[in-house]
């Protein structure tokens, strides 16, 4: 069922287009780790080695996923236009013939998913801005402890944004109504490979950051700031999900 038939075409295209821009900005490291102080040694060397190993592969993985998202966004953008203006159905039918009779639709859940994904990207960019040069993708010893803005609600809001981005944008593109689903691309070999790569990468990146790295980062922060960090931890109990975890 179509959600809000009067929803502006411009608004839908703007949301899809802005998601690509924000995904690009939030999916790239804002700083390099070369100039950052090395963190104090942790009490768990094995976890530290895993952190170092995976961190080296994360930029390459993020680069490939950004390219995937740009392509998906371009096709989705064209698909929306071709659905609204059937006389434009020229481009996508050459790529996926089954898209000839396919129509884009924006359900309530897809709109919600897209909004969550865009908000997740924006949240990560906010964290980039607050931490400044202290925000790097590798675990490092920051020069100051930021406790304002989203850091007054959860201690790792950039990971909150990461989860929102992965869940929201993935749901938007994989639910019925998208070009990926309606065109039949999801059932092709290239489609299966591309979607499989996307899902696997999001799972391992999210699990690695949320499950493994948080403990490592908390340990580094406690050693770096001591009582100041412990006081902040006592005030802000949630790590990623407010009131839950």
């Amino acid at each position: 069922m179509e959600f809000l038939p009067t929803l502006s075409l411009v608004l839908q295209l703007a949301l899809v287009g802005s998601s690509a821009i924000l995904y690009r900005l939030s999916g790239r490291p804002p700083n390099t780790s070369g100039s950052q102080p090395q963190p104090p040694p942790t009490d768990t060397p094995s976890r530290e080695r895993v952190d170092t190993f995976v961190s080296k592969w994360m930029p390459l993985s993020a680069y490939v996923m950004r390219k995937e998202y740009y392509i998906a966004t371009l096709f989705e953008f064209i698909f929306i236009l071709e659905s609204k203006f059937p006389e434009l159905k020229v481009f996508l039918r050459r790529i996926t013939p089954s898209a000839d009779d396919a129509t884009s639709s924006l359900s309530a859940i897809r709109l919600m998913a897209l909004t969550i994904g865009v908000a997740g990207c924006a949240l990560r960019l906010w964290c980039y801005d607050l931490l400044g040069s202290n925000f790097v993708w590798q675990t490092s010893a920051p020069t100051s402890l930021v406790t304002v803005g989203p850091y007054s609600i959860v201690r790792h809001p950039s990971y909150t944004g990461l989860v929102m981005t992965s869940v929201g944008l993935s749901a938007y593109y994989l639910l019925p109504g998208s070009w990926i689903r309606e065109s039949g691309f999801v059932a092709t070999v290239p489609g299966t490979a591309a979607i499989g790569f996307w899902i696997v990468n999001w799972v391992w990146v999210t699990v690695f950051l949320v499950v493994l790295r948080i403990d490592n980062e908390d340990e580094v922060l406690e050693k770096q700031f001591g009582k100041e960090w412990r006081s902040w931890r006592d005030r802000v109990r949630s790590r990623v999900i407010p009131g839950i975890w």
Side-chain angles (χ1 to χ4, degrees):
M1 181 178 181
E2 190 76 11
F3 177 70
L4 293 178
T6 58
L7 182 66
S8 169
L9 172 63
V10 174
L11 175 58
Q12 184 178 0
L13 293 175
L15 282 172
V16 172
S18 64
S19 75
I21 296 172
L22 291 174
Y23 184 79
R24 178 181 185 275
L25 295 174
S26 65
R28 303 176 67 182
N31 303 287
T32 61
S33 60
S35 60
Q36 295 297 311
Q38 290 300 310
T42 67
D43 297 328
T44 53
S46 60
R47 191 172 64 209
E48 190 173 343
R49 286 194 296 270
V50 172
D51 185 299
T52 302
F53 174 77
V54 178
S55 294
K56 291 180 179 180
W57 288 98
M58 196 177 302
L60 176 60
S61 172
Y63 173 82
V64 176
M65 291 175 70
R66 286 198 304 272
K67 300 307 179 185
E68 270 197 309
Y69 193 78
Y70 301 158
I71 295 172
T73 301
L74 174 62
F75 285 180
E76 178 74 9
F77 203 90
I78 296 173
F79 184 51
I80 294 170
L81 286 174
E82 290 189 352
S83 296
K84 299 297 182 182
F85 306 101
E87 62 273 16
L88 299 178
K89 285 193 174 183
V90 176
F91 179 75
L92 290 182
R93 71 173 60 177
R94 296 178 180 177
I95 301 172
T96 50
S98 58
D100 197 28
D101 298 324
T103 303
S104 171
S105 62
L106 185 65
S107 63
I109 190 169
R110 287 191 73 223
L111 177 60
M112 183 182 301
L114 181 59
T115 303
I116 290 173
V118 170
C121 293
L123 178 56
R124 279 185 63 81
L125 290 174
W126 188 9
C127 295
Y128 284 5
D129 181 64
L130 287 174
L131 267 65
S133 61
N134 284 317
F135 200 117
V136 293
W137 279 13
Q138 291 75 28
T139 302
S140 62
T143 57
S144 60
L145 183 65
V146 176
T147 61
V148 297
Y151 291 91
S152 65
I153 302 173
V154 292
R155 299 203 306 274
H156 298 272
S158 66
Y159 296 155
T160 306
L162 186 73
V163 173
M164 292 170 62
T165 299
S166 64
V167 173
L169 298 185
S170 296
Y172 175 78
Y173 280 97
L174 296 180
L175 285 171
S178 68
W179 172 78
I180 289 176
R181 286 291 301 270
E182 300 304 321
S183 68
F185 178 72
V186 69
T188 65
V189 173
T192 301
I195 293 170
F197 179 85
W198 173 272
I199 293 175
V200 168
N201 271 273
W202 265 123
V203 168
W204 82 259
V205 168
T206 304
V207 169
F208 163 69
L209 291 177
V210 175
V211 177
L212 298 178
R213 177 174 277 185
I214 280 183
D215 287 336
N216 206 30
E217 290 185 351
D218 281 346
E219 189 176 334
V220 168
L221 289 173
E222 184 174 14
K223 289 187 175 183
Q224 183 81 352
F225 299 105
K227 184 178 179 180
E228 183 183 3
W229 180 85
R230 289 189 290 272
S231 175
W232 174 52
R233 177 199 59 192
D234 292 340
R235 295 195 313 271
V236 183
R237 304 299 300 179
S238 300
R239 291 177 162 190
V240 177
I241 306 174
I244 298 177
W245 182 69

